[in-house]
Amino acid sequence: MSRFVAGNLARFALLMVAVSVLVFVLVSVSPIDPVQANVGQAAYASMSPEKKAELARVWGGGIPLWERYAAWASAFVQGDWGTSLRFNAPVLDVIAQRAGNTLLLMAVAWAVSGAVGFALGVLAAMRRGGVVDRLVKGYCYVLASTPSFWLGLVFLVVFSVRLGWFPLGFSMPIGVSAADVTFADLLHHLALPAITLSVTGVANIALHTREKAIDVLESDYMRFARLRGASEGRALRSHGLRNLVLPAITLQFASVAEIFGGSVLVEQVFSYPGLGQAAVVAATGGDVALLVGISLVSALLVFGGNLIANILYGVVDPRIRRGEGVTADA
């Protein structure tokens, strides 16, 4: 157990270092001038060269990359994540204010896409070759090639602009104080972004579950169960669900990275104030401290998702925890 924990901690530390270095390098080679991006075109054009040089020095301009990274890393290990240039606030405060919206959006999309995708995959396998199977496969193939931001724009035009069923954006009504915002208001504003993310996340889990369910339905133990008089649905519930849940759990937790990537675009489309929208603002404004902070949080989410998948895999199937081989017919 201690070896497992130490190994994962070492991999997590290396991941954090690699992500932070990569973000620093990418921002340093970016053509975006943080001074010009943050003060605006008009103010920058009328600013004196001395003032520009002073602002560039305050925001780290002219300092070698390794010196800036060493200063940031030294402060980071002491709990100081830096100050955001675009929000003029500590990075930790900006992340704390927006992480709740993103985590709620991702959790709803993750749960809905997993449940719906699993159900559609099993249904298509039980009706393989039929109309239902073709409809599910066609639905999944179309969605698998559909960008989430494009689907979000379509949903926005249809359900918000045309039908007026959902608000145009944001996480709460405009002009209403935070104290007067109800839980129903939050769910109303969350619904359309969550539906967009869920719909695009259904395809992978449904297609994967369908293929696995067909293998299970054609296995010897399922044939034996049917010969004993059990219907296909009852035999699948009694003997096949465990073999279907295993890959579904792994795939769904491994999709955390995909859902987070989709949330960046969806938050931008719906003006939903989460980490994804803040990451776009930080990237376009050369706000390296905020961008590194959000990147580390996203890496933590992805690493956590993969780690939970590995642990659950071992819990559900002890052969994997013991390192034994698993054959397709087992």
Side-chain angles (χ1 to χ4, degrees):
M1 184 63 182
S2 58
R3 186 176 177 182
F4 174 79
V5 173
N8 279 288
L9 286 177
R11 283 192 286 272
F12 178 68
L14 288 174
L15 176 66
M16 293 293 104
V17 173
V19 168
S20 60
V21 169
L22 182 62
V23 173
F24 259 86
V25 171
L26 290 178
V27 173
S28 67
V29 300
S30 167
I32 297 175
D33 181 358
V35 177
Q36 186 174 354
N38 286 282
V39 301
Q41 292 285 350
Y44 186 81
S46 60
M47 194 177 292
S48 66
E50 293 77 13
K51 187 64 176 178
K52 294 178 183 177
E54 182 182 353
L55 286 177
R57 181 179 54 80
V58 172
W59 289 343
I63 301 176
L65 173 62
W66 69 269
E67 286 188 18
R68 281 186 283 134
Y69 181 78
W72 173 86
S74 176
F76 178 80
V77 296
Q78 300 177 50
D80 181 7
W81 289 35
T83 301
S84 168
L85 299 178
R86 296 304 301 264
F87 294 92
N88 194 28
V91 169
L92 274 177
D93 291 349
V94 176
I95 292 177
Q97 291 170 0
R98 291 171 171 261
N101 289 336
T102 295
L103 292 178
L104 181 60
L105 175 62
M106 289 178 59
V108 173
W110 183 86
V112 173
S113 63
V116 174
F118 186 81
L120 288 179
V122 173
L123 181 64
M126 294 181 66
R127 300 288 185 271
R128 55 190 177 281
V131 175
V132 174
D133 185 26
R134 288 196 290 272
L135 287 176
V136 171
K137 285 194 297 183
Y139 167 78
C140 293
Y141 290 149
V142 170
L143 287 181
S145 56
T146 302
S148 57
F149 74 90
W150 182 85
L151 191 64
L153 289 172
V154 172
F155 281 180
L156 195 63
V157 171
V158 174
F159 296 108
S160 296
V161 177
R162 297 286 185 185
L163 300 177
W165 291 354
F166 299 99
L168 288 172
F170 306 106
S171 62
M172 59 180 64
I174 299 175
V176 179
S177 65
D180 297 330
V181 176
T182 64
F183 185 65
D185 292 331
L186 296 178
L187 290 181
H188 193 205
H189 283 256
L190 171 70
L192 202 53
I195 290 173
T196 304
L197 264 185
S198 302
V199 168
T200 55
V202 163
N204 287 340
I205 188 71
L207 292 174
H208 190 274
T209 302
R210 176 188 175 277
E211 295 302 316
K212 187 63 181 176
I214 290 176
D215 291 340
V216 170
L217 289 171
E218 294 176 350
S219 62
D220 292 339
Y221 62 87
M222 288 295 293
R223 292 195 187 98
F224 182 70
R226 287 194 292 268
L227 287 175
R228 295 183 63 186
S231 64
E232 190 169 74
R234 182 176 180 182
L236 188 63
R237 288 194 302 271
S238 302
H239 307 288
L241 278 183
R242 182 172 178 175
N243 286 336
L244 294 178
V245 168
L246 274 172
I249 289 175
T250 304
L251 186 64
Q252 193 58 7
F253 273 103
S255 69
V256 170
E258 183 180 345
I259 293 176
F260 185 83
S263 73
V264 173
L265 302 175
V266 169
E267 288 178 6
Q268 194 67 14
V269 170
F270 290 97
S271 300
Y272 197 76
L275 291 178
Q277 192 191 42
V280 173
V281 173
T284 54
D287 192 344
V288 63
L290 181 58
L291 192 58
V292 171
I294 294 175
S295 300
L296 294 181
V297 172
S298 63
L300 172 64
L301 292 175
V302 175
F303 184 87
N306 292 333
L307 181 61
I308 292 173
N310 291 335
I311 294 174
L312 287 180
Y313 227 139
V315 170
V316 177
D317 191 340
R319 293 170 299 177
I320 296 176
R321 189 170 63 248
R322 292 195 298 266
E324 298 176 3
V326 181
T327 64
D329 297 332

